[in-house]
Amino acid sequence: MAGALPADYLARLAATAGTGEPVLLADRPDGTVVRIGDVVAKAHAADSDAAALAVRVGAAAHPALAHVLLPPLPPGGLSLLHDGRPASLWPLGTPVDPAAVPWEAAGALLAALHAVPPAAVPGPLPPAGGPARAARALADLTGTPTDPAYAAVREAAARILSAMPAPRPVALCHGDFHLGQLVRRRGAEGAWRLIDVDDLGVGDPAWDLARPAAWFAAGLLPAQDWLRLLNAYQAAAGTEGEDPWPALDAPARVATAQQAARALVRAARRGVRPGEEDEALFDSCLRIAALP
């Protein structure tokens, strides 16, 4: 374990946490996450825009977002690892229990985030990262072997992503919302917060709801769960009774294509066939591509 982590990274963690053995929580191209005691350290992606990331981490530490985002640990800035990757320190949170998903809390948190004026936090904030993440999914598609069985899915995903609408920069957005970005603060029962600010920025709030909307449209998210999230969001945003789909339709289509593309890339890299959830996304992607 220790040999897989930069020595200075472990030294920072140990000096901050005081006691405890390091535990590797995640090790992906977009970030490595290590826990020591009640401290979580994240090494961000090597190609991160360090200046933009510093602004995002600084915003997470601002009191205007204390009711929405889990703040970084003091002093709240970035440090550089020996390999040049930026790293940040955060308090440990309790993740979502899949058997008791707090959909209402998630919807209310997203609405609260979108209600914060971007000018109220230090900036200027960069664009929210959702559209850029979708564009990267399309780029990744071109680097995988062509599987004849999924050629139509590849073509459909590429067509949807290439027609991605320009986002409206109207609100403060998370940029990569999913249930893994939701934690309960330790020692604060009931206080759910959003984590992972790598894509925080100014954008179209519909993009933060696009992934669950896409899962609902693909039949992967039960209607009652989608409505719990949506109703809580609209209640907090003051938009109860409004049809959300005129704003959600285009981002949800892109989210479907993005997830289908990622599923194809993931299966190709692992040398396995896509799973049942992936097949549902593929079917949804093909249906979207067949629409006018």
Side-chain angles (χ1 to χ4, degrees):
M1 160 65 186
L5 298 170
D8 56 346
Y9 191 8
L10 287 176
R12 275 194 195 90
L13 285 170
T16 302
T19 59
E21 290 295 320
V23 178
L24 183 63
L25 299 181
D27 190 12
R28 301 184 301 269
D30 61 346
T32 302
V33 182
V34 177
R35 169 190 174 184
I36 292 184
D38 287 337
V39 173
V40 172
K42 178 174 181 178
H44 301 265
D47 60 354
S48 296
D49 181 332
L53 182 59
V55 173
R56 286 164 163 148
V57 174
H62 195 270
L65 292 175
H67 64 302
V68 182
L69 299 177
L70 190 70
L73 290 173
L78 293 176
S79 56
L80 291 180
L81 305 185
H82 76 294
D83 58 3
R85 286 185 301 168
S88 53
L89 296 173
W90 306 83
L92 181 67
T94 302
V96 167
D97 179 355
V101 176
W103 292 111
E104 290 82 3
L109 280 173
L110 284 178
L113 175 64
H114 297 161
V116 175
V121 298
L125 283 163
R133 293 180 69 88
R136 289 196 296 271
L138 174 58
D140 287 345
L141 258 184
T142 62
T144 59
T146 300
D147 184 340
Y150 296 101
V153 175
R154 291 167 56 90
E155 179 182 347
R159 193 182 323 144
I160 294 167
L161 289 172
S162 65
M164 183 168 55
R168 302 172 299 134
V170 296
L172 187 58
C173 301
H174 183 273
D176 185 29
F177 172 73
H178 53 81
L179 290 179
Q181 310 288 35
L182 194 63
V183 299
R184 190 192 297 274
R185 294 193 63 171
R186 294 170 68 86
E189 187 66 24
W192 289 99
R193 293 293 182 267
L194 295 169
I195 61 171
D196 190 357
V197 297
D198 291 53
D199 292 292
L200 182 74
V202 180
D204 184 343
W207 282 76
D208 278 349
L209 291 166
R211 187 180 301 190
W215 276 61
F216 163 66
L220 295 172
L221 180 64
Q224 62 268 27
D225 292 339
W226 164 245
L227 290 176
R228 287 173 59 194
L229 173 69
L230 178 64
N231 290 343
Y233 178 87
Q234 291 190 313
T239 57
E240 290 175 288
E242 294 183 11
D243 182 2
W245 285 102
L248 270 179
D249 183 64
R253 293 185 187 207
V254 173
T256 302
Q258 175 186 357
Q259 292 174 86
R262 290 183 62 188
L264 286 171
V265 170
R266 183 171 57 247
R269 288 175 178 170
R270 295 176 179 174
V272 299
R273 303 294 292 178
E276 290 185 11
E277 288 186 351
D278 298 334
E279 295 285 356
L281 290 169
F282 297 161
D283 290 343
S284 188
C285 194
L286 292 172
R287 289 196 301 270
I288 292 170
L291 294 173

